[in-house]
Amino acid sequence: MVGAVLIGGTVNAPAQTDAATKTYKNCTELNKDYKGGVARDAKVKNIGGKTKYTPKISAELYKANASKDRDKDGIACEG
């Protein structure tokens, strides 16, 4: 049961955390959700060349899908 607090007529539900970090089967599947791939952190630089999209920055998501970072630049499935 989720509790809510009424304040001045508005409902404030507790913030929900993301579901368990998803491990994708391959880059095609990952790129359906994250067109630019997933970066380990904001400081990584793409060494694989120019890309169309900016990657999602998430250390947890990157760690779960690090095997898809073929050039080991800190961005999995860059697109």
Side-chain angles (χ1 to χ4, degrees):
M1 188 161 119
V2 175
V5 178
L6 287 173
I7 300 174
T10 61
V11 176
N12 293 324
Q16 293 187 9
T17 59
D18 291 336
T21 302
K22 186 172 181 179
T23 300
Y24 289 86
K25 181 177 165 183
N26 55 43
C27 283
T28 302
E29 295 298 313
L30 187 144
N31 289 141
K32 286 179 183 177
D33 291 335
Y34 306 102
K35 289 185 179 188
V38 178
R40 182 178 55 233
D41 60 50
K43 296 176 186 174
V44 297
K45 300 290 181 198
N46 180 9
I47 62 171
K50 191 172 182 177
T51 59
K52 274 180 138 177
Y53 303 101
T54 302
K56 162 83 174 162
I57 299 167
S58 171
E60 285 184 32
L61 193 55
Y62 176 82
K63 185 177 178 183
N65 295 283
S67 64
K68 293 156 194 74
D69 184 3
R70 288 173 274 180
D71 56 6
K72 307 296 180 211
D73 63 354
I75 306 171
C77 302
E78 54 263 45

